[in-house]
Amino acid sequence: MAGRSSRTIYVGNIPLDVREWEIEDLFYKCGRILDIELKLPPRPPGYCFVEFEDPFDAEDAIKGRDGYNFDGCRIWVIDFELVHYYYLAIVLGRFGVSHRSEFRVVVRGLPSSASWQDLKDHMRKAGDVCFAEVYRDGDGAMGIVDYTNYDDMKYALRKLDDSEFRNPFSRAYIGVILFFGWKVMVFGLS
């Protein structure tokens, strides 16, 4: 049975005067909505979480509404499970992630025993890695990897996503996603 997080989406960059019924109106065509949790901080942008009955409905909402112009705001719609990783990347970026390359990916699903050396060795299968770092996150870990060029980064996204990561202590299938940058992750801007 699918968990709550796989049925929940994050909707970012919404106006602060939005009402719950407007969010429901925006997403009702995607499927049956179980819950809407509005988060309207004192300063823009606002955001919310929308929980659907079916995980496939959540996927449809992401595909159909990400980048949609809602009341003059380009909204950002992503899977709830990814919000945590984006937040970590933002926080870690403020405290020392390398700025050696603009060709950066985020690696999720690493085992807690992973080291930056293990990660760098694995990611070299796609090309020339100039920086790798691993950050512990509860039971597991996530990583940031910089490539020296665009083609190597693109190849890593295509070939190493859902690949088997191994070190002397454990194995795990990892996800590799594009690191979008601070403004895109926080505000949904391009």
Side-chain angles (χ1 to χ4, degrees):
M1 183 175 177
R4 177 178 190 252
S5 61
S6 64
R7 299 184 320 239
T8 303
I9 59 172
Y10 167 88
V11 183
N13 201 36
I14 60 176
L16 293 180
D17 62 349
V18 71
R19 300 291 176 245
E20 188 173 313
W21 67 267
E22 292 174 296
I23 298 295
E24 185 173 0
D25 192 48
L26 185 64
F27 290 103
Y28 82 94
K29 289 182 181 178
C30 300
R32 184 162 181 264
I33 297 171
L34 298 178
D35 188 34
I36 297 173
E37 190 176 332
L38 280 175
K39 301 289 187 178
L40 303 174
R43 296 182 322 173
Y47 63 97
C48 70
F49 299 99
V50 179
E51 182 182 359
F52 289 91
E53 185 174 62
D54 188 320
F56 294 111
D57 295 339
E59 286 180 33
D60 291 344
I62 293 167
K63 291 175 187 168
R65 292 297 187 205
D66 187 36
Y68 182 80
N69 186 340
F70 180 69
D71 197 24
C73 298
R74 186 169 170 249
I75 62 171
W76 184 45
V77 183
I78 65 168
D79 189 305
F80 175 78
E81 293 176 351
L82 295 179
V83 172
H84 180 70
Y85 291 104
Y86 288 152
Y87 175 77
L88 277 175
I90 292 167
V91 170
L92 297 172
R94 291 184 187 151
F95 298 106
V97 169
S98 169
H99 297 284
R100 298 178 193 195
S101 166
E102 61 186 297
F103 309 112
R104 183 172 296 156
V105 296
V106 176
V107 180
R108 51 194 172 101
L110 290 168
S112 59
S113 63
S115 69
W116 69 267
Q117 295 95 334
D118 297 331
L119 178 60
K120 192 170 185 178
D121 289 344
H122 182 77
M123 300 306 283
R124 273 192 187 131
K125 295 173 186 173
D128 192 17
V129 174
C130 62
F131 178 82
E133 189 62 73
V134 172
Y135 302 96
R136 305 285 174 250
D137 176 27
D139 294 336
M142 68 166 285
I144 303 285
V145 177
D146 290 2
Y147 284 93
T148 57
N149 62 70
Y150 174 78
D151 291 332
D152 290 349
M153 177 191 73
K154 188 175 166 185
Y155 189 76
L157 290 167
R158 200 172 64 241
K159 294 296 182 181
L160 296 180
D161 185 40
D162 200 32
S163 64
E164 185 179 33
F165 173 90
R166 295 182 194 184
N167 69 11
F169 310 104
S170 58
R171 296 176 175 193
Y173 282 90
I174 58 169
V176 179
I177 58 175
L178 184 63
F179 181 85
F180 294 105
W182 316 126
K183 286 186 179 179
V184 172
M185 290 194 300
V186 177
F187 303 111
L189 303 175
S190 56

